[in-house]
Amino acid sequence: MKIKLIYLTLALVFLSCNQAKKKTSTQENVKTSNSNSIRLELLTDALKNPIQMSIPDDNTHRKFLTNRGGQIWILENKTVLPIPFLQLNTAQDSLGLEGPEGIGTINGMAFHPQFSGNHKFYVCYNAAPSIASDPIKLVISEFLVDEDNPNLTNKESEIKDS
């Protein structure tokens, strides 16, 4: 009786392994025959805590990368530029970003549909509350690119909606 049970168990294991092998090879065929496949590529490992990547429709081929540290960096020709496009944590007094960890974190950014002409973009970030007992305040701001340097933000152009 025990020997029959062992043979039955081995047969089931063998059959299940063959079924798993068939599924895997079918899935591989589907992946390789699909013309809309997705490819992952490491763009940079130079940033700490990246959150988002945005690419404006302005024919510059720049990639804008946000991070938890309150910066937006530009990736150009696979190189991160040495000066951030926007750095919220250096303007803590004017932006009201003093407080606990998480203040100044950029949650996301978006470019205006006519960015190539009007140079407007939007940033959502955490700001310090006006009253200490309140939770962190979520701010959505409009900014303009610096007129003299398209790789910098005009920080004085900020219009807040909080």
Side-chain angles (χ1 to χ4, degrees):
M1 180 78 159
K2 286 184 181 180
I3 293 177
K4 287 182 182 180
L5 186 58
I6 290 173
Y7 284 127
L8 181 61
T9 305
L10 288 173
L12 288 173
V13 168
F14 177 75
L15 287 174
S16 64
C17 287
N18 274 346
Q19 285 298 98
K21 192 173 184 179
K22 285 180 184 175
K23 285 181 183 177
T24 304
S25 62
T26 305
Q27 290 171 350
E28 287 172 5
N29 288 338
V30 170
K31 286 180 185 176
T32 57
S33 66
N34 185 353
S35 62
N36 294 327
S37 62
I38 296 173
R39 181 178 57 118
L40 299 177
E41 177 183 350
L42 177 65
L43 297 175
T44 183
D45 58 0
L47 296 179
K48 185 178 177 185
N49 300 318
I51 294 175
Q52 177 190 355
M53 179 177 73
S54 297
I55 304 171
D57 188 17
D58 66 351
N59 296 320
T60 63
H61 307 289
R62 297 177 297 171
K63 295 168 180 68
F64 291 74
L65 308 167
T66 64
N67 72 1
R68 185 184 153 116
Q71 296 108 4
I72 299 174
W73 295 91
I74 296 176
L75 183 68
E76 195 169 45
N77 300 321
K78 297 188 177 191
T79 303
V80 176
L81 298 185
I83 300 172
F85 178 67
L86 175 64
Q87 186 160 357
L88 293 177
N89 60 359
T90 60
Q92 289 187 352
D93 294 336
S94 64
L95 295 175
L97 299 176
E98 297 171 88
E101 186 176 341
I103 302 297
T105 295
I106 295 177
N107 300 304
M109 75 172 295
F111 293 97
H112 189 281
Q114 283 87 38
F115 175 77
S116 61
N118 65 19
H119 309 291
K120 292 180 181 180
F121 67 97
Y122 305 90
V123 177
C124 176
Y125 63 90
N126 297 339
S130 52
I131 301 171
S133 62
D134 286 348
I136 293 173
K137 182 169 58 172
L138 191 63
V139 176
I140 299 173
S141 291
E142 177 184 271
F143 287 95
L144 290 170
V145 174
D146 189 274
E147 289 180 14
D148 298 327
N149 185 345
N151 292 328
L152 294 175
T153 299
N154 176 352
K155 291 181 186 173
E156 288 79 39
S157 70
E158 182 180 19
I159 300 172
K160 292 183 185 181
D161 181 27
S162 54

